[in-house]
Amino acid sequence: SYSRHTSLRENESKEEEKKAFGNIFAELESVDLPLGTTLRSIYDDQPNAHKRFMEKLDARIRNHDREIEKMCNFHHQGFVDAITELLKVRADAEKLMGQVTDTNRRLQDAGREVTAQTEEVIRCRVQQRNMATTVEKLQLCIPVLEMYSKLKEQLESKRYYAALKTMEQLEKVYIPRVSQYRFCQIMAENLPRLREEIKDISMSDLKDFLESIRKHSDKVGETAMRQAQQHRTFNSAVAKQASMGHYIKPVYSLNERTHAHTPNGLLMDDDTGDDEADEEILTAQDLVDFSPVYRCLHIYTVLGDRETFENYYRKQRKKQARLVLQPQANMHETVEGYRRYFNQIVGFFVVEDHILHATQGLVTRAYTDELWNMALSKIIAVLRTHSSYCDDPDLVLELKNLIVIFADTLQGFGFPVNRLFDLLFEVRDQYNETLLKKWALVFREIFELDNYSPIPVETEEEYKLVVSRFPFHDAEIEKQDFPKKLPMSQSVPQIYTQVKEFIYASLKFSESLHRSSTEIDDMLRKSTNLLLTRTLSSCLQNLIKKPHIGLTELVQIIINTTHLEQACRYLEEFITNITNVSPETVHTTRLYGLSTFKDARHAAEGEIYTKLNQKIDEFIQLADYEWGMAESDGRASGYLMDLINFLRSTFQVFTHLPGKVAQTACMSACKHLSTSLMQMLLDTELKQISMGAIQQFNLDVIQCECEYKEL
């Protein structure tokens, strides 16, 4: 039983081992399972597992070999039969191959010509289709190319506005139809560059225009101001004829905008009928070509960048305005300097006025008004400064005429010029100052050349000549026979004539100022008062104080001032006749030059008293009394007799003076002589006086008393 049990256990062990190796072989024969794990299980199992595995593997291989051999033995005969039949078919296959090859050759030979014809047909069909496609595409592309060619021609001929329209059509209509072609893409990419080139070219033309107009503004302004001056002259002639009863319809008027604008911005009258004026306008028109402005404006408008252009144009013109308004340093020296300055300004604003009316929105009325207000402030400041340097009244008068023409010209273009006429009142004051300085020299020269003697008149003609220059009337002198003398010296009619010349000169400035007769009358009287009370009065005062003016000259000066004072009423009548303003008008200014001559006369009288006393002092200094003499000479001293003779001759001259003057002079001289004699007698240096000296001094005093009674 033990042996049986042992045998059973061995059999079970073998079965398990066989089963385990069977699983391993199954895993090895399978291609899906990994061999690493299987082999590891073989080696990791028992120490002799590898050996037994190899034995089992050999046994397994032998079993497979036996199975293969059995299978081959089973199919061998069939394989041999198949090979035999295949060998039999081989000969037929070779024969068939030859027939097929021959048939293929013959087919190839027969189809080669057909193939060639077919390929030709195919090629022709492809060409035909390509040609049709090409024609179709060219029909789409030709208009694009024609438009692009047209664009190039427009650019070459500088028709930039038309070129921009062509570009717009290319972009919106033509290029989108054939946008798939590369040349269209190149065109589309090139159009923005062409636009920029057009902008640059048009802007360059605009810059050239701005430079050109800056150079020609002087000529444009000169032409416009010449026209305005012709308008003023014509209107003045019309006014004179109308006042005479002959009225002619005015051709133009600067105060009313009745003129049309020419392309160059100058004024063209509706119907001037003046060939010379038309010729001048055409000449000025040739100087200015505004097409660059119009062209550039249209271009920037089409490109949607009008605002940029407007800002650039206005900015550049403002810069030019500042340059135009900048005067030359020596402008005040000649009238041509002022004329060039005004011409440039007028030319600038004539151009701006034309741009305002010829374009829509490039410049606006608000812009031009702002520019004019800025310019007007600068102009007034410049004129105020430079006119203050001018000391020539003729130059100031010419400046005034230029300002009037300048104002009238710009007023004709709608610019307000009231401030310019207000400035003229300041210039008028400057003009009056220069006149006063000029006439001060004239008065001084007249006084220096005067002989301070009554005017001798030899004949009736000479007398009438003097009376025609000075309003002198004296019945007693008129009754006298020739030759005779007029009481005043030659400076009196000269002074009177020069005062009238001054009034005429002052009146010249008041012309064309659009002022009433009353205002002009008031201005003339005020300026004449200044001449009398300031200039002439100062000259008289300086003349009286001059050392070389003696008593005779002073007496003649008093006589002269008396006659000039009486002539003042004739000066008032003279101004009245000029202005046609009645002196009874409430606000009429009176000539108060009377005070001038009264003051001068009083100063001369005072100088007479002073010089007379000085002369008395000179005689007193010649007195040489012998205070210790034993007895007197029995007659008045020699120095005193000389003094009395001098006083006699002097007082004889005083007979031409008013009674009070002569009387006062006599009283003043006697009083001064009395005081001087008393001081001589009471001199502190005099230590003793003899009785003879007292008697001599008494004789001198008695002589003075006698002479005084005779006077």
Side-chain angles (χ1 to χ4, degrees):
S1 106
Y2 176 74
S3 58
R4 188 188 303 164
H5 180 69
T6 303
S7 177
L8 290 172
R9 291 184 60 185
E10 291 179 354
N11 289 335
E12 291 176 356
S13 176
K14 290 180 179 180
E15 289 295 332
E16 292 177 359
E17 184 177 359
K18 182 178 180 179
K19 186 177 180 180
F21 281 111
N23 294 332
I24 291 173
F25 289 146
E27 293 177 357
L28 291 175
E29 292 174 353
S30 176
V31 296
D32 298 331
L33 298 176
L35 297 178
T37 305
T38 305
L39 294 175
R40 190 178 298 109
S41 63
I42 295 172
Y43 286 94
D44 292 343
D45 198 1
Q46 294 179 1
N48 295 324
H50 177 262
K51 183 178 180 181
R52 287 194 298 276
F53 171 73
M54 294 301 296
E55 291 176 353
K56 293 293 183 181
L57 182 60
D58 290 338
R60 183 83 173 184
I61 292 171
R62 287 194 295 273
N63 288 334
H64 282 299
D65 289 339
R66 285 194 294 273
E67 290 178 358
I68 292 171
E69 186 177 353
K70 288 179 181 179
M71 186 176 294
C72 288
N73 290 333
F74 178 75
H75 294 287
H76 176 68
Q77 188 60 43
F79 177 73
V80 172
D81 293 340
I83 292 299
T84 302
E85 291 178 0
L86 184 60
L87 291 174
K88 291 179 180 180
V89 174
R90 181 178 181 181
D92 295 334
E94 290 177 355
K95 182 179 179 180
L96 180 62
M97 185 63 182
Q99 293 176 351
V100 170
T101 302
D102 183 59
T103 302
N104 180 60
R105 181 182 56 76
R106 286 186 285 108
L107 286 174
Q108 291 293 334
D109 293 339
R112 186 173 290 111
E113 185 176 356
V114 176
T115 303
Q117 294 295 328
T118 303
E119 290 178 353
E120 183 67 21
V121 171
I122 293 173
R123 188 177 62 80
C124 290
R125 292 282 179 85
V126 170
Q127 287 181 350
Q128 185 178 8
R129 185 175 67 250
N130 290 341
M131 290 174 63
T133 304
T134 302
V135 170
E136 180 183 356
K137 299 303 181 183
L138 284 176
Q139 288 177 347
L140 294 175
C141 293
I142 286 175
V144 180
L145 297 173
E146 290 178 347
M147 292 295 290
Y148 196 77
S149 176
K150 180 181 178 182
L151 172 62
K152 288 294 186 180
E153 293 177 358
Q154 291 170 342
L155 291 175
E156 290 177 359
S157 61
K158 297 184 178 180
R159 297 165 53 203
Y160 300 120
Y161 181 71
L164 291 174
K165 290 295 185 182
T166 303
M167 288 185 191
E168 185 177 0
Q169 292 180 350
L170 279 172
E171 286 182 331
K172 295 183 177 180
V173 179
Y174 292 95
I175 290 180
R177 297 175 184 174
V178 288
S179 59
Q180 67 273 21
Y181 298 110
R182 188 167 180 267
F183 79 91
C184 288
Q185 296 175 0
I186 295 174
M187 286 183 185
E189 293 173 356
N190 198 32
L191 291 181
R193 182 182 61 82
L194 293 178
R195 280 196 178 91
E196 291 300 322
E197 288 182 0
I198 290 175
K199 287 178 66 174
D200 295 340
I201 293 172
S202 61
M203 185 58 70
S204 177
D205 292 343
L206 177 65
K207 292 178 181 178
D208 294 340
F209 165 80
L210 293 175
E211 180 65 22
S212 174
I213 198 63
R214 188 180 67 84
K215 294 179 180 178
H216 294 96
S217 290
D218 187 20
K219 183 64 177 178
V220 174
E222 180 183 357
T223 304
M225 289 185 67
R226 187 185 305 118
Q227 293 174 15
Q229 190 170 11
Q230 293 172 354
H231 297 176
R232 284 185 61 233
T233 304
F234 182 82
N235 291 337
S236 177
V238 169
K240 289 181 179 179
Q241 292 184 7
S243 64
M244 297 171 60
H246 302 286
Y247 178 73
I248 299 177
K249 181 180 179 181
V251 177
Y252 37 67
S253 173
L254 285 176
N255 295 327
E256 297 178 4
R257 200 177 185 84
T258 59
H259 12 255
H261 285 269
T262 62
N264 69 332
L266 295 177
L267 290 180
M268 179 177 288
D269 306 312
D270 294 338
D271 184 15
T272 61
D274 191 344
D275 296 336
E276 183 180 356
D278 292 340
E279 182 179 355
E280 290 178 355
I281 292 174
L282 291 176
T283 302
Q285 181 179 358
D286 293 338
L287 293 174
V288 182
D289 178 17
F290 286 91
S291 58
V293 180
Y294 306 146
R295 185 164 53 246
C296 198
L297 176 62
H298 288 316
I299 287 172
Y300 273 79
T301 301
V302 171
L303 295 177
D305 204 10
R306 180 188 175 104
E307 184 177 357
T308 300
F309 173 76
E310 291 177 357
N311 293 335
Y312 176 80
Y313 177 84
R314 295 179 184 181
K315 181 179 180 181
Q316 294 302 316
R317 289 296 282 169
K318 283 185 178 179
K319 289 182 179 179
Q320 289 188 345
R322 294 188 180 95
L323 293 176
V324 166
L325 295 171
Q326 189 66 30
Q328 296 181 353
N330 60 344
M331 185 179 72
H332 61 278
E333 296 178 358
T334 61
V335 70
E336 288 303 319
Y338 289 106
R339 194 186 307 278
R340 287 192 298 270
Y341 182 67
F342 288 142
N343 287 343
Q344 290 178 356
I345 296 173
V346 170
F348 177 88
F349 283 99
V350 164
V351 170
E352 288 305 292
D353 182 77
H354 175 78
I355 293 295
L356 172 66
H357 291 87
T359 61
Q360 296 180 351
L362 178 56
V363 295
T364 62
R365 175 55 68 182
Y367 163 78
T368 55
D369 289 345
E370 178 186 358
L371 200 60
W372 169 243
N373 290 331
M374 180 272 291
L376 189 57
S377 299
K378 179 66 175 178
I379 293 168
I380 291 174
V382 168
L383 294 178
R384 184 179 289 125
T385 300
H386 282 262
S387 64
S388 64
Y389 298 146
C390 183
D391 54 0
D392 183 2
D394 295 332
L395 180 57
V396 178
L397 185 61
E398 291 181 348
L399 172 60
K400 166 257 175 182
N401 293 330
L402 280 178
I403 294 175
V404 171
I405 297 172
F406 174 72
D408 288 345
T409 304
L410 290 171
Q411 188 178 29
F413 288 91
F415 295 100
V417 294
N418 292 334
R419 292 173 62 188
L420 285 175
F421 284 103
D422 294 338
L423 172 68
L424 285 175
F425 283 95
E426 299 181 22
V427 179
R428 182 201 63 190
D429 295 337
Q430 175 67 19
Y431 176 71
N432 286 335
E433 289 297 324
T434 57
L435 286 181
L436 293 175
K437 292 179 181 178
K438 179 180 179 180
W439 258 259
L441 297 176
V442 172
F443 290 152
R444 282 199 290 268
E445 184 178 2
I446 291 174
F447 289 141
E448 289 176 0
L449 297 178
D450 193 9
N451 58 9
Y452 297 99
S453 300
I455 301 176
V457 179
E458 300 292 337
T459 63
E460 181 73 22
E461 288 74 15
E462 292 183 6
Y463 179 78
K464 290 181 179 180
L465 178 62
V466 174
V467 173
S468 65
R469 297 171 57 195
F470 180 76
F472 175 76
H473 303 286
D474 191 317
E476 294 183 0
I477 295 180
E478 290 178 357
K479 294 178 182 179
Q480 296 176 3
D481 297 330
F482 293 98
K484 53 187 174 183
K485 292 184 178 181
L486 303 183
M488 65 278 189
S489 65
Q490 62 183 4
S491 64
V492 173
Q494 293 175 351
I495 292 294
Y496 183 81
T497 302
Q498 287 300 323
V499 172
K500 291 171 65 176
E501 291 295 327
F502 175 86
I503 295 173
Y504 277 126
S506 181
L507 177 64
K508 289 181 181 179
F509 195 92
S510 302
E511 296 174 348
S512 305
L513 291 185
H514 309 300
R515 298 294 173 180
S516 64
S517 299
T518 304
E519 291 177 306
I520 295 176
D521 182 88
D522 185 67
M523 287 188 289
L524 287 180
R525 293 177 184 274
K526 287 182 177 179
S527 59
T528 306
N529 278 330
L530 282 176
L531 177 71
L532 297 177
T533 60
R534 196 172 77 182
T535 305
L536 182 57
S537 175
S538 175
C539 292
L540 285 172
Q541 295 292 339
N542 292 333
L543 174 66
I544 292 170
K545 297 295 183 182
K546 285 186 176 181
H548 70 277
I549 298 298
L551 292 173
T552 303
E553 288 81 1
L554 289 172
V555 170
Q556 188 62 54
I557 290 173
I558 292 175
I559 296 172
N560 291 346
T561 54
T562 302
H563 287 282
L564 288 173
E565 181 181 349
Q566 294 171 355
C568 282
R569 61 188 181 90
Y570 296 101
L571 290 176
E572 288 191 344
E573 293 178 1
F574 176 72
I575 296 175
T576 300
N577 293 332
I578 292 177
T579 60
N580 292 324
V581 176
S582 174
E584 284 76 20
T585 304
V586 176
H587 299 290
T588 300
T589 303
R590 299 292 179 180
L591 289 182
Y592 45 88
L594 298 175
S595 61
T596 297
F597 301 114
K598 287 181 180 179
D599 294 340
R601 189 160 55 251
H602 292 160
E605 292 172 1
E607 193 68 19
I608 286 177
Y609 305 149
T610 302
K611 288 185 178 294
L612 193 58
N613 292 338
Q614 290 176 352
K615 205 67 177 177
I616 292 174
D617 291 338
E618 292 177 3
F619 282 101
I620 293 296
Q621 290 176 0
L622 297 177
D624 187 15
Y625 282 102
E626 294 182 11
W627 299 106
M629 63 187 339
E631 59 183 10
S632 66
D633 295 338
R635 54 186 175 85
S637 301
Y639 83 91
L640 185 62
M641 294 306 298
D642 293 338
L643 173 59
I644 291 173
N645 293 331
F646 166 76
L647 291 176
R648 283 176 180 173
S649 61
T650 301
F651 291 149
Q652 185 66 31
V653 176
F654 287 175
T655 57
H656 300 290
L657 296 177
K660 284 188 176 181
V661 177
Q663 183 178 359
T664 304
C666 182
M667 292 294 296
S668 174
C670 293
K671 184 177 180 180
H672 185 72
L673 177 59
S674 173
T675 303
S676 299
L677 291 174
M678 181 63 69
Q679 290 178 350
M680 184 187 303
L681 187 62
L682 300 178
D683 189 2
T684 56
E685 295 182 359
L686 186 60
K687 303 301 182 181
Q688 61 182 2
I689 303 176
S690 65
M691 183 58 67
I694 293 176
Q695 292 176 353
Q696 182 64 41
F697 190 83
N698 187 44
L699 289 174
D700 292 342
V701 173
I702 293 172
Q703 186 67 35
C704 290
E705 290 177 349
C706 293
E707 293 297 332
Y708 178 75
K709 291 178 181 179
E710 292 181 4
L711 293 175

